[in-house]
Amino acid sequence: MNITPPDLTTIIKSEQHYLGKYTLVVGLILIVIGIFGLLSPVILSAATDGILAGILILGGAVWIAHSYQLHAHGLGDWFRPLLLLITGAIMVALPAAGIASIGLLFILYFFIDAYRNFTRPKVLNGIGRGWFFFSGIIDVLIALLFIVTWPQGSLILVGIFVGVNLIFDGIILIIVRNGIIGLTKS
């Protein structure tokens, strides 16, 4: 197994195809939305709930149309899409409950990520052990923060963590874009 990371120039050139000419604009929009989320975390939490609910409802509707086209007769063929529709509808009707559910997903995510960080150095022969361990501790602390404040804390924490993530995603897009421009000029 090759554990040597690819050359940064190779990564940036391979991403050039996917990023396109709107990378700077998208990066800046993500940063602005992220900052707005840090200033108004409840609004970003509600927007996150609405987006996830919309995805669930759209997925359920598409799955129902697909099952109808296939003339599906089994209960399982109809149960999944109905579950998606019902879950999305509940998230729309009761946004606080939807945001609390997203908080539960974050708890699960951070514990799984902590586990990965604590076990990853074994796979990499100890490379970056300290950083993985530090990241695992941070993951556990964040998961505990969600647990201790759940469900009310999710109203704020979901918005904060989505906002921070959007800011970093925007920064990464701009960095990669600048790397691409630097590579094409040289």
Side-chain angles (χ1 to χ4, degrees):
M1 178 168 94
N2 184 6
I3 59 170
T4 307
D7 180 30
L8 182 60
T9 306
T10 306
I11 294 171
I12 291 175
K13 285 182 179 180
S14 68
E15 292 295 319
Q16 189 173 22
H17 170 71
Y18 297 109
L19 297 176
K21 63 182 179 179
Y22 300 108
T23 306
L24 178 63
V25 174
V26 171
L28 291 174
I29 290 171
L30 290 176
I31 292 170
V32 169
I33 293 171
I35 291 171
F36 172 77
L38 293 179
L39 297 174
S40 303
V42 175
I43 293 173
L44 188 56
S45 293
T48 302
D49 175 68
I51 290 169
L52 287 175
I55 291 169
L56 291 172
I57 291 169
L58 181 63
V62 168
W63 202 330
I64 283 177
H66 179 70
S67 294
Y68 179 77
Q69 287 177 341
L70 293 177
H71 305 290
H73 298 294
L75 181 62
D77 296 326
W78 296 100
F79 184 70
R80 283 188 202 173
L82 289 175
L83 185 62
L84 288 172
L85 286 172
I86 291 168
T87 303
I90 290 171
M91 290 177 76
V92 169
L94 303 169
I99 295 168
S101 298
I102 295 168
L104 289 174
L105 289 173
F106 276 174
I107 291 168
L108 181 64
Y109 168 79
F110 284 114
F111 276 131
I112 290 171
D113 197 46
Y115 173 78
R116 183 191 62 86
N117 283 321
F118 290 139
T119 58
R120 190 70 180 160
K122 293 176 188 171
V123 174
L124 298 175
N125 299 323
I127 297 172
R129 178 180 298 150
W131 286 110
F132 280 109
F133 188 72
F134 176 74
S135 180
I137 290 172
I138 297 298
D139 286 335
V140 169
L141 291 175
I142 292 170
L144 291 175
L145 177 65
F146 270 95
I147 289 170
V148 169
T149 63
W150 190 85
Q152 294 85 6
S154 295
L155 291 172
I156 294 172
L157 291 175
V158 167
I160 289 172
F161 281 95
V162 169
V164 168
N165 187 46
L166 290 174
I167 290 170
F168 280 105
D169 286 347
I171 290 170
I172 289 169
L173 278 177
I174 292 170
I175 288 171
V176 170
R177 176 197 174 267
N178 290 339
I180 291 170
I181 290 173
L183 287 175
T184 55
K185 287 182 180 177
S186 53

